[in-house]
Amino acid sequence: MTRKNTTSRDEIPTLETDDGTYTGRYDWDGEDTPASAIVQAVAAVRSTDPASMRPLYAVVDTDAVNRLFDRRPGTRPDRLSVRYERCEVTVY
């Protein structure tokens, strides 16, 4: 996910450029965790059921992702990149 913030359970990441980059957004006030937002965004881009995908925790420590991107301003890193389900996911 990059640049804009448009991903929730009800929204699909949008194709931003001709290079196949999709942009999604995490709702900081929503109920989903950052890790689950990553899964939802990738599932939407791949048009697949999240339950049929490999668990994100097999790729990255999801507790650490959730702690890195918690709701407190100033606590988030500049970015996190991870390869998941044949997608390069970057969270800003």
Side-chain angles (χ1 to χ4, degrees):
M1 294 182 288
T2 60
R3 284 180 251 148
K4 292 185 193 173
N5 194 0
T6 56
T7 300
S8 72
R9 287 190 185 274
D10 302 321
E11 297 177 22
I12 299 172
T14 55
L15 183 61
E16 292 295 322
T17 61
D18 292 335
D19 68 358
T21 298
Y22 285 81
T23 298
R25 185 170 197 149
Y26 172 66
D27 179 4
W28 292 103
D29 296 323
E31 296 177 16
D32 288 339
T33 64
S36 66
I38 291 170
V39 172
Q40 294 297 325
V42 171
V45 167
R46 299 206 56 237
S47 298
T48 191
D49 180 358
S52 69
M53 298 184 334
R54 174 175 52 157
L56 182 60
Y57 64 76
V59 177
V60 65
D61 181 338
T62 55
D63 290 334
V65 169
N66 293 333
R67 282 190 309 272
L68 281 171
F69 292 97
D70 76 6
R71 289 174 168 82
R72 291 174 292 158
T75 62
R76 299 176 205 125
D78 288 338
R79 76 180 66 196
L80 169 72
S81 294
V82 61
R83 185 122 178 103
Y84 177 58
E85 292 293 306
R86 298 189 316 248
C87 295
E88 185 66 37
V89 178
T90 302
V91 181
Y92 293 91

